[in-house]
Amino acid sequence: MAIQRVSPASLLAIVVLAGLAAGTYWLVQRTLPSDADRAPYVKQHIPDYYADDMVISMLSPNGTTQYRVNAVHMTHFEDDQTTAMTMPAVRAFTPDQPEVTATSKRGTLNADMSVVDLYDDAVVTRQPGPRDPEMRALSEHFQVLVNEDIVRTEKPVQLFRGTSVMYGDGMIFNNITRAVQLLGNVHGTIQPAELGGKPPPRQSAAPTAPSAPPQTKQGSKTP
């Protein structure tokens, strides 16, 4: 087998190229900042992804759908992992109970999806049941606590139950017990049927007595 000899010129070229490669690598390493010099990345309150026609289902411990959140548009932020929503709708599903829905023009969802805040023309509606009329609550803000199954507000609220109407400075609605507690200065009108009473019988011979003033009630009320 013939042995190929390497000429001195080729050896010189190899040495020169190796020197250039080593010098280039050294220069690159010198110009790159070290780990100690690099400033840590600070997350900012800027969107990192978007979604349209969003649907999020939140399951109960037994695997059934407990809450479902819909929104026309959502924006997720990288720093606090919150989600801003446009036209959100939150639906609560409770076995053997009328469905409860909360809607608004805008809303936010926290990082672990345990708190939903609804703002601007917020409405909470409980569908009518076998023995209960429809209930609607109107306010500028409602907060849905998913884990506690509670809807609350610290803003003035208007509550409709059938033909009765109540006003308060705040409200707490327990979706498990279906109890509503109005807070602060509470006033309104409760119709006799809502109190379990019956209207007085009509008298044809005697003149009709003046009607009683509207009844008001303060404190908690179970719809």
Side-chain angles (χ1 to χ4, degrees):
M1 182 176 62
I3 299 176
Q4 295 182 351
R5 295 180 178 275
V6 180
S7 64
S10 299
L11 287 175
L12 181 60
I14 293 173
V15 171
V16 171
L17 291 176
L20 289 175
T24 303
Y25 177 80
W26 180 81
L27 288 174
V28 170
Q29 294 301 315
R30 290 283 296 177
T31 55
L32 288 176
S34 64
D35 293 338
D37 296 333
R38 293 175 184 173
Y41 176 72
V42 179
K43 293 184 177 181
Q44 304 177 39
H45 194 67
I46 57 176
D48 53 1
Y49 63 84
Y50 308 87
D52 291 323
D53 299 326
M54 176 192 73
V55 179
I56 298 177
S57 295
M58 305 171 185
L59 304 181
S60 64
N62 60 9
T64 60
T65 301
Q66 181 181 4
Y67 280 90
R68 181 172 295 150
V69 180
N70 297 69
V72 174
H73 180 77
M74 60 82 67
T75 302
H76 186 268
F77 295 93
E78 68 170 9
D79 59 342
D80 55 7
Q81 301 297 304
T82 58
T83 301
M85 300 178 292
T86 303
M87 303 300 292
V90 183
R91 291 174 175 84
F93 302 94
T94 305
D96 303 324
Q97 293 286 358
E99 182 178 313
V100 176
T101 304
T103 61
S104 65
K105 291 182 178 179
R106 63 183 182 92
T108 59
L109 181 65
N110 71 336
D112 62 358
M113 296 187 294
S114 62
V115 179
V116 184
D117 285 287
L118 304 172
Y119 301 96
D120 299 340
D121 296 338
V123 180
V124 176
T125 304
R126 189 206 62 193
Q127 298 298 323
R131 295 177 299 174
D132 298 309
E134 180 186 72
M135 185 197 77
R136 286 190 304 121
L138 284 66
S139 183
E140 285 304 305
H141 172 233
F142 282 114
Q143 186 177 70
V144 182
L145 305 178
V146 175
N147 296 334
E148 290 82 3
D149 229 359
I150 286 177
V151 181
R152 66 186 183 184
T153 181
E154 78 291 357
K155 298 290 186 179
V157 62
Q158 188 175 15
L159 178 69
F160 296 90
R161 187 182 188 274
T163 56
S164 299
V165 58
M166 299 289 292
Y167 302 87
D169 297 329
M171 186 191 80
I172 300 175
F173 170 57
N174 190 314
N175 190 42
I176 300 176
T177 63
R178 295 297 166 119
V180 176
Q181 181 181 5
L182 293 175
L183 308 175
N185 180 23
V186 180
H187 61 283
T189 302
I190 301 179
Q191 299 300 328
E194 301 296 332
L195 295 173
K198 296 181 180 179
R202 294 184 178 180
Q203 300 179 358
S204 56
T208 304
S211 58
Q215 303 181 54
T216 62
K217 184 180 179 182
Q218 296 189 1
S220 60
K221 176 176 180 293
T222 301

